[in-house]
Amino acid sequence: MASHIGKLPITIPAGVEVAINGQEFSVKGPKGTDSYTIPEGITAKVEGNELIVSANDDLRPTRAKHGLARSIMASMVKGVHEGYAKSLDIVGTGYRAQMKGKGIEFSLGYSHTITVEPPEGIEFELPNPNQVIVKGTDKQAVGQAAANIRKLRAPEPYKGKGIKYTDEQIRRKAGKAGK
């Protein structure tokens, strides 16, 4: 009984170079480079333009790592080829963002502004003052940077004000019942 996800081959797109040296996996593409240490009991090999990840045995911990390693490696290949992006919307009267160097300065209804600097390998884009786009090659880092921005003023359920993901639905609550 092997991992269903782990058995799937990873297609290597044109312009992406994959190198496997023992348990070290590295990938290089037009958007950058990334590396990963393959867990014990998992092997990877390149066949043509596909990357095959296989488990050495059928023990439960190895099966668990099989699918995980394959997913991480597939995300890395996609990240250096296309990159990842998360879009956030700023909703609320007077809530806005503006670029300040490489970082972003947020006005979110507090008595002060909040400046967020991008972590290593992440860049911010502001198409307009009420939208922030977080871009990068590392799927986990992009998601974490977007979550940290959202945490500055999470959306509230009564008026929907705050920072939300563009595709996020805010569950609205009814306010106080009037006479």
Side-chain angles (χ1 to χ4, degrees), residues 73-179:
M73 292 160 82
S75 294
M76 288 170 61
V77 169
K78 183 180 179 209
V80 297
H81 182 62
E82 300 169 16
Y84 288 98
K86 281 222 180 252
S87 179
L88 299 134
D89 292 339
I90 302 169
V91 181
T93 308
Y95 290 9
R96 65 183 171 278
Q98 61 189 32
M99 291 300 286
K100 192 167 194 180
K102 287 187 183 240
I104 299 178
E105 186 176 73
F106 291 95
S107 301
L108 299 171
Y110 296 117
S111 61
H112 57 284
T113 60
I114 302 167
T115 305
V116 176
E117 293 296 326
E120 186 74 30
I122 300 293
E123 61 183 52
F124 296 140
E125 234 178 68
L126 248 77
N128 61 54
N130 293 327
Q131 188 176 30
V132 177
I133 298 174
V134 182
K135 290 184 170 183
T137 58
D138 186 350
K139 186 177 188 177
Q140 191 274 332
V142 169
Q144 187 63 55
N148 289 344
I149 290 173
R150 183 183 182 276
K151 198 165 43 173
L152 297 175
R153 180 71 102 169
E156 52 93 22
Y158 297 101
K159 292 185 179 177
K161 291 168 46 171
I163 301 175
K164 69 178 193 76
Y165 297 113
T166 300
D167 56 352
E168 181 181 13
Q169 294 290 319
I170 305 299
R171 300 246 343 240
R172 301 295 291 271
K173 290 184 178 179
K176 286 199 255 184
K179 288 185 178 182

Side-chain angles (χ1 to χ4, degrees), residues 27-104:
V27 62
K28 182 178 176 186
K31 300 267 184 188
T33 61
D34 211 346
S35 63
Y36 173 65
T37 303
I38 302 169
E40 290 298 318
I42 307 296
T43 55
K45 62 181 180 276
V46 178
E47 291 181 1
N49 68 336
E50 287 187 335
L51 180 64
I52 310 294
V53 181
S54 57
N56 296 345
D57 54 53
D58 206 28
L59 299 174
R60 188 178 180 96
T62 309
R63 289 197 322 257
K65 293 178 204 164
H66 186 200
L68 172 72
R70 190 257 177 218
S71 293
I72 290 171
M73 292 160 82
S75 294
M76 288 170 61
V77 169
K78 183 180 179 209
V80 297
H81 182 62
E82 300 169 16
Y84 288 98
K86 281 222 180 252
S87 179
L88 299 134
D89 292 339
I90 302 169
V91 181
T93 308
Y95 290 9
R96 65 183 171 278
Q98 61 189 32
M99 291 300 286
K100 192 167 194 180
K102 287 187 183 240
I104 299 178

Side-chain angles (χ1 to χ4, degrees), residues 12-25:
I12 302 169
V16 175
E17 295 174 28
V18 172
I20 301 166
N21 186 11
Q23 294 300 99
E24 287 299 316
F25 170 77

